Amino acid sequence: KLSGQQQEINNLIQRKIAVDEENARLKNEFSNLNQKFKDKSQELKDTEECAQKKEEQNRLVIKNLEEKNKGLNTCCADLLNDLEKLRKQEIQWKTEKSGNDARIKNLETDLTDAREQMKELSSKCSNLSSQLSVKQEELSQKECDMTKTKKELQELQNLYRQNITHTTQQAELIQQLQALNTD
């Protein structure tokens, strides 16, 4: 009976040792798991802090990007306004250019007409110059003729004067002869 109890006690001791070992192993495992849990908790905390920082950075980046976007939208609107102004200006310039082109065409036509008139006038001027030359020649000839005629007239006047003097002398001689004849 005693031997059976001893055997039972031995079994119980064996079981207690096994349970203690299992307990020690479980405690150790629990300690390890607890450490892992702490590590993971810290890791999670660090990750959450990092995520929070990232989120904050992202918020700032988004805010900056939104401000930049607002600035770019304003700039874009200004550029669109400038483009619209430039388009209107281009239309105005095209209209002005069209008017200027028409004016230039008219001026070129006027210039061509003026050149034609110049040619005609130059031709008339040349003809008139030729005619003037002929008339000058005629005038020169007439002046020569007139000079000759003046000389002839002068000679005739001289002869006339001489003639009158002779006639007067003859009349005096006739009177003297008549007086003598009467005596």
Side-chain angles (χ1 to χ4, degrees):
K1 213 176 189 185
L2 188 67
S3 173
Q5 283 180 343
Q6 187 66 43
Q7 187 64 43
E8 205 174 308
I9 287 170
N10 282 344
N11 284 343
L12 285 170
I13 288 169
Q14 285 294 316
R15 273 178 58 199
K16 186 188 180 299
I17 289 168
V19 166
D20 285 347
E21 282 176 3
E22 181 68 15
N23 245 355
R25 191 183 63 75
L26 285 171
K27 270 185 186 174
N28 195 26
E29 199 175 316
F30 176 75
S31 177
N32 287 340
L33 284 172
N34 206 21
Q35 190 58 46
K36 277 183 186 177
F37 176 73
K38 281 180 184 173
D39 291 347
K40 289 290 177 187
S41 290
Q42 189 59 46
E43 200 177 307
L44 180 65
K45 193 178 174 186
D46 292 347
T47 304
E48 281 175 349
E49 281 177 11
C50 189
Q52 219 170 358
K53 281 179 186 173
K54 283 276 183 197
E55 207 174 303
E56 192 60 38
Q57 282 177 348
N58 285 345
R59 264 199 291 271
L60 284 172
V61 167
I62 288 168
K63 191 178 177 185
N64 288 339
L65 286 173
E66 281 173 349
E67 283 175 12
K68 276 185 184 176
N69 194 31
K70 202 183 281 183
L72 287 171
N73 282 339
T74 305
C75 188
C76 207
D78 291 345
L79 286 172
L80 284 171
N81 285 338
D82 290 349
L83 181 65
E84 192 59 34
K85 282 178 191 170
L86 287 171
R87 281 189 178 143
K88 283 178 184 172
Q89 212 169 25
E90 183 190 16
I91 290 166
Q92 187 182 340
W93 285 344
K94 278 183 179 173
T95 306
E96 285 176 12
K97 187 186 179 298
S98 177
N100 287 338
D101 288 348
R103 274 203 294 269
I104 287 168
K105 202 170 186 180
N106 290 339
L107 287 171
E108 282 173 348
T109 306
D110 292 349
L111 183 64
T112 306
D113 293 347
R115 281 187 180 143
E116 286 298 317
Q117 286 178 358
M118 279 282 287
K119 277 183 189 172
E120 287 174 21
L121 289 172
S122 183
S123 177
K124 282 181 184 176
C125 195
S126 183
N127 288 340
L128 288 171
S129 189
S130 298
Q131 288 176 18
L132 180 65
S133 189
V134 169
K135 293 287 179 190
Q136 280 176 335
E137 193 111 350
E138 287 175 6
L139 184 65
S140 182
Q141 187 62 45
K142 284 184 181 178
E143 279 176 353
C144 283
D145 291 349
M146 200 166 107
T147 305
K148 208 185 280 183
T149 306
K150 274 183 182 175
K151 277 184 182 175
E152 287 174 3
L153 180 64
Q154 190 72 38
E155 285 172 10
L156 283 171
Q157 282 175 341
N158 287 340
L159 283 172
Y160 179 71
R161 278 194 211 102
Q162 285 174 5
N163 217 355
I164 286 173
T165 307
H166 286 311
T167 305
T168 307
Q169 286 173 356
Q170 279 177 353
E172 284 173 3
L173 279 174
I174 289 169
Q175 277 180 352
Q176 286 173 4
L177 281 173
Q178 281 177 350
L180 282 175
N181 197 12
T182 306
D183 287 341

